[in-house]
């Protein structure tokens, strides 16, 4: 059962998928459907405002969603079992099917990029194209140190905390972030820190990797690894880009994405 309402040309609502109610927002009326996959603890609202607002509405139908336990897809509370990326990938694909999209493209940021990689590998006939940025397919010891350095959200700047605290409240946000750091760290115990390395050769859709060269969270060896192991993929470097390059340089990012999706 889905609940649906509209604000300006934006449809929003909940769709029951795999036993949970997933929140989504949809804009545009183009033939090419595109799913936006948010980062850790992320939601449509916090992660993709400029994309929902400004991606070409004549050519694309853009769907943003809050993965289970994030944003407005609560309850349930978010947990991080060893297969949480696989679970998100299945939820994402099943949500799009439930909304009536037979084939669609993926735009995945950070954790959402990992989810997109898995979804594309597992569903080659459903995924048209994929764009990922700020994403990794394994967790190195260096990555672990980066996560550990940001574990304590009280040390974040107020500006960095604010969007998340508005969604979750300060206490729940701090607790969830701690759980996420613990959740991502579990992959470092696997051989080579593997999250989804073995799936990369199974990806057959055209894949565009974007990387901000000043990304403090994702060292450049990650996009290079994806480029090497995803057949026919290409990499675009943004010299000034950090982790949130799609927000800070939204116009440039949106144009890159539109041009790629329309090729």
């Amino acid at each position: 059962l889905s609940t649906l309402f509209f604000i300006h040309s934006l449809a929003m609502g909940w769709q029951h998928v795999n036993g949970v109610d997933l929140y989504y927002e949809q804009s545009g009326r183009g033939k090419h459907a595109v799913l936006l996959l948010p980062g850790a603890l992320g939601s449509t609202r916090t992660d993709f405002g400029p994309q929902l607002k400004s991606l070409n509405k004549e050519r694309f139908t853009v769907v943003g969603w809050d993965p289970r336990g994030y944003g407005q897809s609560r309850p349930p509370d978010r947990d991080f079992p060893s297969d949480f990326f696989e679970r998100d990938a299945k939820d994402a694909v099943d949500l799009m099917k439930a909304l009536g999209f037979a084939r669609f493209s993926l735009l995945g940021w950070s954790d959402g990029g990992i989810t997109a990689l898995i979804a594309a590998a597992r569903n080659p006939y459903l995924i048209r194209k994929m764009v990922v940025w700020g994403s990794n397919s394994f967790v190195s010891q260096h990555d672990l140190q980066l996560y550990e350095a940001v574990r304590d959200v009280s040390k974040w700047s107020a500006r960095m905390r604010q969007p998340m605290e508005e969604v979750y409240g300060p206490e729940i946000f701090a607790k969830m972030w701690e759980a996420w750091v613990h959740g991502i760290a579990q992959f470092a115990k696997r051989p080579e820190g593997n999250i989804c390395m073995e799936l990369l050769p199974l990806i057959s859709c055209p894949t565009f990797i974007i990387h901000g060269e000043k990304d403090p969270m994702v060292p450049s060896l990650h996009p290079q690894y994806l480029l090497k192991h995803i057949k026919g993929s290409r990499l675009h470097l943004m010299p000034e880009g950090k982790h949130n390059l799609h927000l800070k340089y939204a116009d440039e990012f949106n144009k890159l994405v539109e041009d790629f999706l329309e090729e």
Side-chain angles (χ1 to χ4, degrees):
L1 200 75
S2 79
T3 319
L4 188 62
F5 44 102
F6 290 82
I7 291 187
H8 307 309
S9 72
L10 189 73
M12 47 183 73
W14 284 265
Q15 180 75 41
H16 195 71
V17 175
N18 299 330
V20 294
D21 291 319
L22 296 176
Y23 177 78
Y24 71 95
E25 297 189 3
Q26 183 176 322
S27 76
R29 51 193 167 277
K31 285 198 168 74
H32 191 149
V34 180
L35 178 64
L36 309 172
L37 299 107
L41 274 63
S43 60
T44 306
R45 296 269 171 91
T46 54
D47 289 13
F48 290 117
Q51 284 68 49
L52 271 162
K53 185 171 168 233
S54 303
L55 284 173
N56 189 305
K57 292 182 173 29
E58 298 301 319
R59 300 196 179 116
F60 305 108
T61 297
V62 181
V63 179
W65 75 305
D66 297 1
R68 67 167 72 201
Y70 285 170
Q72 298 189 68
S73 294
R74 293 175 297 148
D77 288 336
R78 179 72 181 196
D79 61 350
F80 298 94
S82 58
D83 66 343
F84 72 90
F85 284 118
E86 291 273 359
R87 181 179 67 182
D88 283 348
K90 182 166 172 26
D91 284 348
V93 167
D94 290 348
L95 171 65
M96 289 299 275
K97 287 183 187 166
L99 294 176
F101 299 106
R103 288 186 79 221
F104 48 93
S105 292
L106 303 172
L107 263 61
W109 176 39
S110 198
D111 272 19
I114 301 172
T115 302
L117 295 169
I118 295 170
R122 299 257 185 241
N123 304 276
Y125 302 111
L126 292 178
I127 308 306
R128 287 174 68 162
K129 294 186 173 187
M130 172 167 59
V131 183
V132 293
W133 66 104
S135 305
N136 47 307
S137 56
F138 59 90
V139 174
S140 70
Q141 289 305 307
H142 177 54
D143 295 325
L144 266 191
Q145 290 164 3
L146 295 174
Y147 305 146
E148 203 50 52
V150 296
R151 179 191 283 266
D152 182 355
V153 297
S154 70
K155 294 181 180 153
W156 293 19
S157 70
R159 186 180 60 82
M160 289 294 292
R161 286 199 308 267
Q162 186 194 354
M164 290 297 188
E165 290 185 345
E166 282 176 6
V167 174
Y168 299 109
E171 276 180 39
I172 290 175
F173 166 52
K175 213 190 298 188
M176 275 178 79
W177 183 257
E178 179 85 23
W180 176 81
V181 172
H182 192 70
I184 196 81
Q186 66 190 317
F187 295 104
K189 300 188 179 97
R190 295 182 177 179
E192 298 179 80
N194 179 31
I195 303 175
C196 61
M197 294 156 80
E198 74 290 351
L199 295 179
L200 301 182
L202 304 178
I203 295 170
S204 55
C205 65
T207 300
F208 188 26
I209 304 152
I210 302 174
H211 185 65
E213 294 194 79
K214 294 185 175 174
D215 189 332
M217 290 299 293
V218 182
S220 62
L221 76 124
H222 288 296
Q224 295 294 346
Y225 187 90
L226 296 179
L227 180 67
K228 187 176 170 190
H229 292 91
I230 300 174
K231 288 187 293 284
S233 60
R234 70 179 93 150
L235 172 62
H236 177 85
L237 297 175
M238 290 175 67
E240 293 302 310
K242 294 186 181 174
H243 196 56
N244 64 346
L245 54 85
H246 65 298
L247 300 176
K248 184 148 191 211
Y249 301 105
D251 293 346
E252 182 185 348
F253 174 86
N254 286 357
K255 175 146 184 20
L256 283 168
V257 166
E258 288 183 349
D259 289 350
F260 169 71
L261 292 177
E262 298 222 284
E263 277 171 16

